[in-house]
Amino acid sequence: MLNRIEIRDFAIIDELTIDLHPGLSVLTGETGAGKSILLDALGLCLGDRADTSMVPEAAKRSEIHVIFDVSDTPRARAWLTEENLDEDNECLLRRVIQSNGRSQAWVNGRPVTRHQLEQLGRLLVGIHGQHAHQALMRPEIQRRTLDGFAGHANKLEPVSSLHARWQRVEAEIRSLSGGDGDHQDRIDLLRYQLEELDEEALTEEAFSQLEQEQRRLAGASEIIIACQRSLELLYEGETTAQTIIAAAERELDPHLGVDSALAETRDLLATGQVQLEEACQGLRQFADRLEMDPERLQVVEDQLSRLHDLARKHQVEPEGLAAHAEALRDELNRLESADSRLLELHAERDRILDDYRNAAAILSESRRTAAMQLGERVDDLLAQLGMTGAELTIVVDPDSEAPPTAHGTDRIRFDIRTNPDQRPAPLQKVASGGELSRIGLALEVATADTAELPALIFDEADTGIGGGVAEVVGRQLRALARHHQVLCITHLPQVAAQGMHQLQVEKRHREDGRTVTDVRPLSPEERTRELARMLGGLEMTEKTLNHAREMLERVD
């Protein structure tokens, strides 16, 4: 449900807050007061393209906030959850249009694209009338309207399920066939790649050992020198660590009997002497084993160079070449053994397609039956709404050769003829703005029990009608409001009287010369005066006031 609209600095609106309620709300006011501007502002929060001409000259930007309650709108809640934009049962849409042309949008405080805003808007509001947001024109809306009226979820589900199975089988067939390339070409390439990888690739451990060997060979001369210098300092030089420790031991020996603590220190020096001798022996052995081998070094470096080149070619790290080779080997084995699997998959795909076509045919038949019933119901309503002779034809055109889709193979189109002597044609090509609004009203009333959108807006659904037909339009809108929140912009008192809530749009001139629009809810007495104005024009008599009271009293 649409709870609130807040508008700041938009066209001739300075600052405006509109609180809306369940049921039927009507917006009335003089022509040119700015009723359509409200729809323009709402449309921006539903994903319409921004128009900088709507930003007043004195303002830097226009800002619109719209608050929805989505507790009873499962499709909108599911979309918000999927996009990580959910926030309990409230949904806040915000749109800002800068005077420099920049446009920004947010849902529940998180930035979104205009396309995301448009996707969400289609799940929240249906707008009928002379406005860019006419959902009824879209083929997918026409299809969903028919399916919702038919109530054949048990026929849609098998079609959707078989389509999903067909997609999975098709994906595996493409994968086993080598993707977009030729199956045999892929096998040949894999064999070539594995041949060069098997010749050179090392495991991660072997590559690490090779790098360690390279570092040892490359630094052999420096390591040998370091070992020799260490031995000189520790054991073999004129003044070594060993001779210094031995001298310290000799200095302490005569005094060991004086204090036992000194003997403990003397023992530590002796232990150090033993460890020093072991360390020197280790250095000698390491230095003796280490040889400078330029030829081996060259071999190792050449091998490392080839491995790095191979890694760049395959776009992996050198230590990952062996694992990459195994992955390619698995793919090659799968492709080489794919022929038998492909035969199974093609047979499975044929079976799924047969089942899919049968399920789609059952769905098509159900749609044709529902199309006739819905068309007849809408025709009756259109006659009541002043479009005598108008006829809605819902075309269900199956295409058995079309690729499977989740919703069947039918092309569904709403055709209309507005006069008996016309041939039916697509809705968007024939109906005028006022006619389209009444057709939308008839469809909404006919499908009220099954329609998904929580809020519906009718922009001057009463265009071109009057008298008793106008009262019928109002009654139908009120009946529709038992299932949806309905907002209607109207010039006719017969329609306005049916409203459960009435808002008046007024235009006034400020002292600085600027024209601005205000919207305010009307009290019962104010409603009477507004209806009287709509009935009698500028001259408001007691007769028109009594007539207005009578119209309000007659409402169920």
Side-chain angles (χ1 to χ4, degrees), residues 121-250:
R122 291 177 180 179
L123 304 176
L124 295 172
V125 180
I127 299 181
H128 300 274
Q130 303 174 49
H131 194 271
H133 221 80
Q134 298 180 31
L136 195 55
M137 297 293 195
R138 299 199 297 272
E140 71 272 17
I141 296 298
Q142 295 179 1
R143 171 177 51 77
R144 279 174 29 203
T145 298
L146 177 60
D147 285 339
F149 175 78
H152 48 208
N154 61 328
K155 297 178 176 64
L156 273 166
E157 195 281 329
V159 170
S160 176
S161 177
L162 287 164
H163 169 256
R165 286 177 55 194
W166 173 81
Q167 282 187 314
R168 289 194 295 270
V169 171
E170 278 289 303
E172 188 173 355
I173 288 174
R174 287 194 300 271
S175 175
L176 291 176
S177 299
D180 296 330
D182 181 78
H183 178 72
Q184 188 57 48
D185 285 348
R186 180 62 178 167
I187 289 177
D188 292 341
L189 175 61
L190 287 171
R191 286 173 177 165
Y192 169 77
Q193 290 178 325
L194 281 170
E195 185 178 347
E196 64 178 357
L197 283 169
D198 287 343
E199 185 178 342
E200 295 287 351
L202 297 177
T203 65
E204 184 174 354
E205 182 181 358
F207 181 79
S208 176
Q209 291 173 352
L210 188 66
E211 284 191 314
Q212 186 177 359
E213 183 182 3
Q214 187 273 337
R215 288 192 295 271
R216 188 174 66 251
L217 289 169
S221 61
E222 293 181 1
I223 295 172
I224 290 173
I225 292 172
C227 289
Q228 290 173 345
R229 288 178 177 172
S230 298
L231 284 169
E232 287 180 3
L233 291 170
L234 296 172
Y235 200 79
E236 298 175 351
E238 292 182 2
T239 303
T240 66
Q242 186 186 41
T243 59
I244 293 172
I245 293 174
E249 288 178 314
R250 288 193 298 272

Side-chain angles (χ1 to χ4, degrees), residues 262-284:
L262 194 60
E264 184 177 339
T265 303
R266 168 64 175 74
D267 291 341
L268 288 175
L269 288 173
T271 301
Q273 186 79 293
V274 173
Q275 290 178 340
L276 180 61
E277 290 178 359
E278 291 178 356
C280 291
Q281 184 62 27
L283 280 175
R284 291 191 194 94

